Amino acid sequence: MAILKRFQLPPIPAILLAILSVQGGAAIAKYLFPFIGPAGTASVRSGFSAIILLLLFRPRLSGLTRDQWKAVIPYGLSLGAMNLVFYYALERIPLGLAVTLEFVGPLLLAVSGSRRILDLLWVLLAGAGIALIAPWKGSTAIDPLGMFLALLAGGFWALYIVMGGRASRMLPGGEGVATGMIFATLITLPFGFLTGGLTQLTGSMLVPAISLAILSSALPFTLELTALRHLSARTFSILMSLEPAVATLCGMLFLREHLSLVQWLAVALVVIASGGATLSAKRARPAES
C-alpha cells in the first residue's frame, strides 16, 4: 500500500489524471492491435494488471469464503468481457466514439427503473447521440459492427458495475480488484491464444504492454482510490462523465483520429446525458430510501 502514499494530488486533479491515464492506455492498446490484435492486447493488459495489483494488494486467496468467491468471480469475468469486446470495437471505430457508445450502458443502468420524465430526457439525449453516430446512409466511415461491439461493451460495463458493487461489499476494494483481475485474465487469455495474438508477442512489445497495464488499471485505480477518500460519489460520477470527451481528445492527440462536427455533437449529447442522469439519480436517492 505504500504506492498509495506517493499520489497526494488534490482529489479533482487526481480523477482527471486517472481519466487521462485510462484513455492514454487505450491509445497504447490501439498501437498494439496491428502486432498482437485486440484479443492479445486485452490478454496482456489483464495479465500484467493482475500481476501488478496482486503484488500491490496481496489478497489472501486461500482465506476467501464461498460467498466471496461467488461475488468476485462474476465481477472479474464481466471486467474481462468488457475489456475484450471494447478492444474489438476500438479496432473498428475511433476511440472517442467507442467510449461514447460504451457510456450508454452505465447511463441506462443509472436510470433503470425510474419513471421520471427527467430521466427519460437523458435517455433521449443519449439516443440522439447514438443516432448522430450511426451510419444511416451506409457510406460513412463508421463501422456498424464496431458500433454494436461498443454498445455491447457498455452492456458488460453495466454488468461490471452491478457485480463490482457486490464484490466491494464482500472484499476490501484493493483485494477485490486484484482478485477479480485474475478471472478477467482467464476469460481473455483463451482468445489471445486462439487468435494467435499472444504468439506474436515479442520482447520489444513488453514495454508498451506493461505501460498499458499501468495506465489502464494500476495507476487510475490508485488515483481513484485516493480521491474517493475526499470526494462524494456524486462528484466522482459527474467527473467520470467527462470520459467520452477526454477519449475524443486523446484520439486526436495520440491516434490522429478527427471527428466531424456532427460526431462531436454526439459526444456532447452523451456527456450531458451521463452527467444529467448522475445528478438526477443522486438527488432522487434520499427521497427514495
Side-chain angles (χ1 to χ4, degrees), residues 2-282:
I3 191 172
L4 295 176
K5 299 178 181 178
R6 298 181 183 179
F7 298 100
Q8 296 298 329
L9 289 174
I12 291 179
I15 292 298
L16 295 176
L17 181 57
I19 294 173
L20 184 61
S21 177
V22 169
Q23 300 311 323
I28 293 177
K30 201 155 188 175
Y31 161 78
L32 287 171
F33 287 173
F35 303 101
I36 59 176
T41 304
S43 299
V44 297
R45 171 187 171 175
S46 298
F48 283 120
S49 295
I51 293 171
I52 293 169
L53 292 171
L54 287 171
L55 291 174
L56 181 60
F57 294 104
R58 300 177 185 240
R60 292 173 291 179
L61 300 179
S62 59
L64 296 185
T65 66
R66 179 177 296 180
D67 288 340
Q68 287 174 322
W69 283 118
K70 287 182 178 180
V72 78
I73 291 176
Y75 162 69
L77 294 178
S78 60
L79 172 59
M82 175 184 70
N83 290 337
L84 180 64
V85 174
F86 178 73
Y87 279 177
Y88 272 108
L90 191 57
E91 183 186 31
R92 294 174 171 271
I93 62 177
L95 172 60
L97 297 185
V99 174
T100 298
L101 292 167
E102 188 188 27
F103 246 74
V104 173
L107 189 155
L108 292 178
L109 177 64
V111 300
S112 61
S114 174
R115 297 180 179 178
R116 294 182 303 153
I117 295 178
L118 185 59
D119 286 331
L120 177 61
L121 172 63
W122 306 133
V123 174
L124 291 176
L125 275 180
I130 296 173
L132 289 175
I133 296 173
W136 299 110
K137 297 179 181 179
S139 59
T140 65
I142 302 305
D143 187 294
L145 179 57
M147 283 190 63
F148 170 76
L149 291 171
L151 291 170
L152 180 59
F156 281 121
W157 193 355
L159 180 62
Y160 159 78
I161 291 171
V162 174
M163 295 297 102
R166 295 179 183 177
S168 67
R169 291 190 290 270
M170 301 297 296
L171 282 167
E175 293 187 20
V177 171
T179 307
M181 195 62 73
I182 297 173
F183 294 96
T185 304
L186 290 178
I187 200 174
T188 56
L189 273 179
F191 291 94
F193 281 112
L194 287 174
T195 59
L198 289 179
T199 61
Q200 303 299 317
L201 187 65
T202 63
S204 62
M205 299 178 198
L206 289 180
V207 171
I210 294 173
S211 299
L212 168 64
I214 293 173
L215 289 174
S216 297
S217 299
L219 178 58
F221 175 74
T222 301
L223 289 168
E224 290 170 7
L225 193 65
T226 303
L228 279 170
R229 296 175 181 174
H230 308 285
L231 284 179
S232 66
R234 175 182 174 183
T235 302
F236 175 80
S237 298
I238 292 172
L239 289 170
M240 292 303 293
S241 298
L242 297 172
E243 198 156 347
V246 175
T248 303
L249 291 173
C250 286
M252 290 176 58
L253 291 173
F254 304 134
L255 300 171
R256 297 182 179 180
E257 296 175 340
H258 297 281
L259 304 188
S260 67
L261 289 177
V262 171
Q263 291 169 343
W264 267 106
L265 177 59
V267 172
L269 288 176
V270 173
V271 168
I272 293 170
S274 180
T278 297
L279 279 171
S280 61
K282 297 300 179 183

